[in-house]
Amino acid sequence: MSTATITSTVPIALAPPGQPDISYHPSYEKWQARIARRLKEGSLPKVVPEGFPEKLTGDLVWEGQTVANTYNWTYVLSPEHLAEIDQAVAHFKGLGKPLGAISQETFPLPTLHAELRRLSGELHHGHGFFVLRGLKVDDYTREENVIIYAGVSSHVASQRGRQDHKFNGEKADVVLTHIKDLSRSQESGVIGSPAYTTDKQVFHTDSGDIVSLFALETSAAGGASKLASTWRVYNEIAATRPDLLHTLSDYWDMEVFEKSDKQYTQRPLVFHFPATDSTPERIALQYARRYFVGFGALPRNPNIPPITEAQAEGLDTLHFLGDKFCVNTDFQKGDMQYINNLAIFHARDGFTDTPEKQRHLVRLWLRDPENAWETPSVLQWRWDQLYKGITPESEVFPLEPYIRSASNKGR
């Protein structure tokens, strides 16, 4: 478990008055000291919250050191599949339709379709993640790569989520965003997310059902993509510190970074879904550390109540247990990675770019209505923000990187 000091490429976000001693980059030593303090104080719950499982089982419970023994998460595209993708690009371009019209119908994949539907099942009912490998990025233009990414993804999950509500100052449904270091090409004083730096990204989830990344280029060094099973981490907390499940399933004051009528919303980080006639018992996790401690140009708003010592320990526990049980997916150029964003959380190591080799990913937030998990009721408003009211005509696919509103101080 890494305890190295992290050097940030953007100014450190200042903590508001009353906030515990915690920052975006977790400190193992501070975590251990906080654990010791809180255990010494005592009076902590000894059992999991009422109705919550003491232990989860199934394919979603895995550890990074052993998951490869039973699950091959990399699906290598065959020459036939690559030819099919090539034909689908030509077919779509020949239709003369906007990029928002990309779908299973307009990007036909006669044989690959069945495999991608099977892999969607793996996301929702299996191990919760997979990687497609073998696409030759350099054989296509930027726009063609975006067409391929959206087209292939439409067979995994048909709905694309809204990642920004404006583009170039105009109202828009931005459904594709870029993950790239912009700290040198734009003023670092506006960057409020590590996605636009070379910094380490600590364990977190995105928004929506599925988060997908497509590697247009990898870094010169570093930048490993790490995934962790929420269910394995849940089991560890339930067995060793059930009191933290009370904290994580209670309501937190979560900052709203985009322009809104309210500065923060209140919701849990961990959600429990009892078994039904058609679905098994499930636990879901939705959180990102920066919404509680800030990052760079977007520190935590002093008008929002500070988090508690218990919540600070909860954030660190999620991160360090995620790091303990994670797998490195060996993200390569041309890879498309898909994860169940309710069951898997992820992180990224810091990295180094060179003028010749600069890490550049594009991202989609997806939903597959056929296989989708139940949305936590307190998150329905957020899911509506992502998926409701989008039309093929309104979808925007920026071909060049920019800092989206929720990560931009100048929003």
Side-chain angles (χ1 to χ4, degrees):
M1 187 173 295
S2 175
T3 61
T5 300
I6 303 295
T7 302
S8 179
T9 59
V10 298
I12 302 298
L14 298 177
Q19 184 86 335
D21 184 12
I22 185 171
S23 61
Y24 177 80
H25 293 295
S27 163
Y28 185 82
E29 291 75 17
K30 290 179 182 179
W31 176 50
Q32 291 297 301
R34 183 169 281 117
I35 290 173
R37 272 198 317 273
R38 296 196 65 244
L39 288 177
K40 186 177 180 180
E41 291 169 1
S43 301
L44 300 176
K46 303 282 195 239
V47 296
V48 301
E50 184 176 356
F52 278 54
E54 293 186 1
K55 187 175 184 179
L56 293 160
T57 58
D59 287 344
L60 269 175
V61 182
W62 50 259
E63 296 184 15
Q65 289 187 341
T66 57
V67 65
N69 297 339
T70 56
Y71 176 53
N72 180 9
W73 60 81
T74 304
Y75 186 91
V76 181
L77 297 166
S78 69
E80 293 75 20
H81 291 151
L82 292 172
E84 203 166 86
I85 289 171
D86 205 44
Q87 292 163 9
V89 174
H91 174 78
F92 178 78
K93 290 175 72 175
L95 296 176
K97 292 179 177 289
L99 296 184
I102 296 172
S103 67
Q104 294 180 22
E105 292 71 36
T106 61
F107 195 89
L109 298 172
T111 60
L112 184 54
H113 170 80
E115 287 300 296
L116 296 176
R117 294 310 299 148
R118 179 185 66 80
L119 289 167
S120 178
E122 183 65 49
L123 281 182
H124 295 88
H125 312 299
H127 294 80
F129 71 103
F130 69 87
V131 174
L132 294 179
R133 179 163 293 165
L135 189 74
K136 297 176 176 60
V137 171
D138 293 337
D139 289 353
Y140 300 97
T141 65
R142 173 69 56 79
E143 183 178 59
E144 287 170 341
N145 276 309
V146 167
I147 292 170
I148 291 169
Y149 182 35
V152 169
S153 297
S154 71
H155 292 263
V156 177
S158 59
Q159 286 184 269
R160 290 182 287 268
R162 183 187 288 109
Q163 298 187 52
D164 206 345
H165 61 275
K166 64 180 181 180
F167 181 66
N168 285 339
E170 302 291 330
K171 185 177 179 181
D173 293 331
V174 179
V175 296
L176 178 135
T177 54
H178 296 251
I179 309 298
K180 195 174 189 296
D181 176 29
L182 299 179
S183 62
R184 296 186 180 166
S185 59
Q186 301 194 26
E187 289 190 30
S188 61
V190 305
I191 295 177
S193 167
Y196 305 105
T197 73
T198 59
D199 282 26
K200 172 179 180 174
Q201 279 189 286
V202 302
F203 276 92
H204 66 286
T205 66
D206 282 22
S207 292
D209 285 19
I210 300 167
V211 57
S212 174
L213 295 169
F214 176 29
L216 298 177
E217 184 58 271
T218 55
S219 60
S225 175
K226 296 179 175 181
L227 309 181
S229 161
T230 292
W231 286 23
R232 177 63 187 92
V233 169
Y234 174 92
N235 284 350
E236 188 74 9
I237 298 173
T240 60
R241 288 294 304 279
D243 61 286
L244 288 178
L245 292 178
H246 290 261
T247 299
L248 294 169
S249 61
D250 201 355
Y251 278 69
W252 294 49
D253 297 326
M254 177 177 169
E255 185 153 3
V256 175
F257 285 122
E258 292 182 310
K259 278 192 173 180
S260 173
D261 294 335
K262 51 189 177 181
Q263 294 177 326
Y264 65 98
T265 184
Q266 295 181 313
R267 67 164 180 84
L269 275 56
V270 168
F271 304 87
H272 174 237
F273 299 97
T276 69
D277 292 340
S278 58
T279 60
E281 182 175 38
R282 288 169 172 161
I283 287 290
L285 173 69
Q286 277 283 287
Y287 90 109
R289 189 178 177 103
R290 75 184 185 98
Y291 288 87
F292 305 101
V293 302
F295 178 87
L298 292 176
R300 185 167 175 86
N301 191 319
N303 295 322
I304 303 173
I307 66 173
T308 66
E309 285 290 329
Q311 290 173 334
E313 186 188 350
L315 289 175
D316 279 347
T317 298
L318 288 173
H319 171 78
F320 285 111
L321 289 182
D323 197 45
K324 178 179 179 180
F325 296 123
C326 74
V327 66
N328 178 352
T329 59
D330 186 30
F331 214 24
Q332 298 179 13
K333 183 174 181 176
D335 281 0
M336 296 182 191
Q337 177 177 280
Y338 298 83
I339 68 173
N340 180 334
N341 192 51
L342 292 167
I344 306 293
F345 60 137
H346 60 283
R348 178 196 77 196
D349 282 350
F351 62 92
T352 302
D353 280 340
T354 63
E356 300 76 28
K357 197 169 172 62
Q358 298 181 20
R359 190 178 195 268
H360 188 176
L361 313 181
V362 285
R363 180 179 69 190
L364 292 169
W365 287 343
L366 303 166
R367 179 176 172 84
D368 179 6
E370 181 182 332
N371 288 315
W373 285 20
E374 180 183 352
T375 302
S377 58
V378 297
L379 292 180
Q380 189 59 57
W381 68 274
R382 178 58 177 153
W383 259 238
D384 289 346
Q385 279 187 338
L386 299 180
Y387 299 114
K388 283 188 74 172
I390 299 177
T391 66
E393 294 74 27
S394 68
E395 288 188 35
V396 174
F397 296 75
L399 298 183
E400 296 299 328
Y402 80 102
I403 303 173
R404 69 188 187 98
S405 301
S407 305
N408 191 334
K409 182 181 179 181
R411 65 195 185 282

